[in-house]
Amino acid sequence: MLLPTVPRTRLRSADQPAIETPFGPLTFATSVGSTGLPLRPDEQFHLPGDRTLARWVTPEARVELLLTPYDPELDPGNWGPLTGCRAAVWRIDALVPLGRVQFSAGLSEPLPEGADGGYDGGQVLAAVTVEDETTRLTIGGNDEEAICWAAEAGEAPRRWAALMDEVHRSSFSGWGVDYVRSKGMSWTLPPLEAGDHCELPVVAAWAPAADETANTWYAVMPSPTALLEQVTAEPTERADAPDQG
């Protein structure tokens, strides 16, 4: 469960979770087995600090998605200032063995005329960057190697750490990251057992295209733990109706 100690207020109606970017909404989707979860969650909560938490519950799994502002704390001596930065933390708790789980994040609208984008990943980073003559947007998350490291950090099942050898094989397949043209990414997870959980981060950062410091690229590579620690480190006001789980 994400942020169990942070106060929250249940929203009367649940909207499709999205991060607003200069190139349109960044939206999210989850499929468990061959079934896609509804775009609108079963429950949605407002959290302090302009945050929302969405939740889906099925007989097979509980899925949560936190949307939050994010400060990557870039050194101003090396990186130009960002125009905006928001993040998501996706979590699944498996209630039964799950052979296939897929999570995706991507821009939901066609790119405007004059904008172009594509793969922009690196070691332990899955990323795409979209740019026009005024704005650069980078969307990033874990690549396969980072997912294995996440197992060591307790953000994914511990046994996934042993999958690192698979990642470096030329015949590697079955799970990992796929790129959705220039607009986003899709993560297919290794199998989950009942009681397992996995957390994945997604960060969207944008800045003026004229800034050549690669600030958006360096902003989009935190772990879920780092994102959640930033949320809980901030003072929180009391909510009207704290969620009890």
Side-chain angles (χ1 to χ4, degrees):
M1 181 178 181
L2 291 174
L3 302 172
T5 64
V6 175
R8 63 201 66 194
T9 301
R10 189 189 305 268
L11 299 176
R12 292 178 181 270
S13 61
D15 296 324
Q16 180 182 0
I19 291 174
E20 295 298 330
T21 82
F23 295 103
L26 177 67
T27 58
F28 308 89
T30 300
S31 62
V32 178
S34 59
T35 303
L37 298 187
L39 296 179
R40 293 190 177 191
D42 298 323
E43 299 176 294
Q44 199 165 30
F45 304 90
H46 170 75
L47 278 62
D50 189 27
R51 300 178 173 96
T52 60
L53 180 70
R55 181 183 295 159
W56 296 257
V57 180
T58 76
E60 295 82 21
R62 178 166 67 178
V63 174
E64 293 179 304
L65 182 68
L66 171 73
L67 302 186
T68 177
Y70 174 58
D71 179 3
E73 299 179 346
L74 298 178
D75 181 355
N78 293 314
W79 318 114
L82 298 171
T83 307
C85 188
R86 291 189 66 88
V89 177
W90 174 89
R91 174 171 172 136
I92 185 167
D93 288 273
L95 305 179
V96 300
L98 299 174
R100 180 178 174 82
V101 172
Q102 193 171 66
F103 168 63
S104 64
L107 297 172
S108 60
E109 298 177 357
L111 296 182
E113 185 176 352
D116 194 14
Y119 170 82
D120 198 17
Q123 187 173 15
V124 306
L125 177 67
V128 296
T129 291
V130 178
E131 189 170 3
D132 63 14
E133 62 181 16
T134 63
T135 302
R136 180 176 64 254
L137 165 71
T138 301
I139 302 164
N142 286 359
D143 71 357
E144 294 87 355
E145 190 173 0
I147 289 173
C148 294
W149 286 115
E152 296 280 6
E155 299 163 353
R158 297 283 183 182
R159 65 183 178 280
W160 289 5
L163 300 176
M164 187 69 78
D165 289 343
E166 287 188 11
V167 173
H168 298 294
R169 293 177 191 159
S170 59
S171 60
F172 167 70
S173 64
W175 66 275
V177 185
D178 293 308
Y179 292 85
V180 185
R181 298 176 184 170
S182 60
K183 300 173 62 176
M185 292 154 287
S186 178
W187 291 264
T188 301
L189 301 185
L192 291 153
E193 298 296 333
D196 283 346
H197 79 272
C198 176
E199 295 174 354
L200 292 175
V202 180
V203 180
W206 54 98
D211 190 318
E212 299 180 354
T213 64
N215 50 355
T216 60
W217 196 86
Y218 281 94
V220 300
M221 55 177 75
S223 70
T225 299
L227 285 167
L228 297 175
E229 285 177 347
Q230 189 171 106
V231 173
T232 56
E234 295 182 7
T236 57
E237 71 268 17
R238 290 295 299 172
D240 294 334
D243 172 44
Q244 299 300 315

